[in-house]
């Protein structure tokens, strides 16, 4: 499974988006684009990504740009995996 699809699954479960997630692509806005996505959800998604991929996200790595779109979040995860 591609990383973007794995992240979509995490978002689907975390935000309880149902089939709505099927229409998401790399350009889909997350922060500001999904009403269910708030500051508490950022922490929940961060924790889910850390558990899934085995990396740690430091507080100073969490930026609005990271969660801007599904593509920016996917790129962030790819970078963390390659560290």
């Amino acid at each position: 499974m591609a990383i973007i699809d794995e992240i979509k699954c995490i978002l689907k479960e975390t935000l309880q988006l149902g089939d709505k997630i099927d229409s998401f692509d790399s350009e889909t806005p997350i922060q500001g684009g999904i009403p269910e996505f708030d500051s508490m959800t950022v922490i929940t998604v961060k924790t889910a990504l850390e558990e899934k991929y085995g990396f740690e996200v430091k507080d100073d790595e969490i930026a609005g740009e990271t969660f801007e779109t599904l593509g920016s979040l996917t790129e962030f995860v790819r970078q963390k995996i390659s560290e």
Side-chain angles (χ1 to χ4, degrees), residues 7-55:
I7 294 171
K8 284 170 67 171
C9 287
I10 289 171
L11 292 174
K12 179 179 182 175
E13 292 171 13
T14 304
L15 302 173
Q16 301 176 351
L17 294 173
D19 294 339
K20 179 179 177 180
I21 197 79
D22 295 339
S23 65
F24 286 21
D25 62 21
S26 62
E27 299 299 316
T28 301
I30 298 174
Q31 193 167 23
I34 303 173
E36 300 87 352
F37 198 83
D38 59 21
S39 59
M40 290 303 298
T41 308
V42 169
I43 302 303
T44 305
V45 170
K46 171 190 163 291
T47 302
L49 292 171
E50 289 173 330
E51 290 174 2
K52 170 92 177 148
Y53 295 106
F55 56 69

Side-chain angles (χ1 to χ4, degrees), residues 62-82:
I62 299 174
E65 298 83 32
T66 302
F67 294 95
E68 187 174 345
T69 65
L70 180 57
S72 62
L73 182 56
T74 301
E75 184 56 33
F76 174 78
V77 170
R78 282 191 181 117
Q79 289 175 4
K80 291 298 290 179
I81 290 171
S82 68

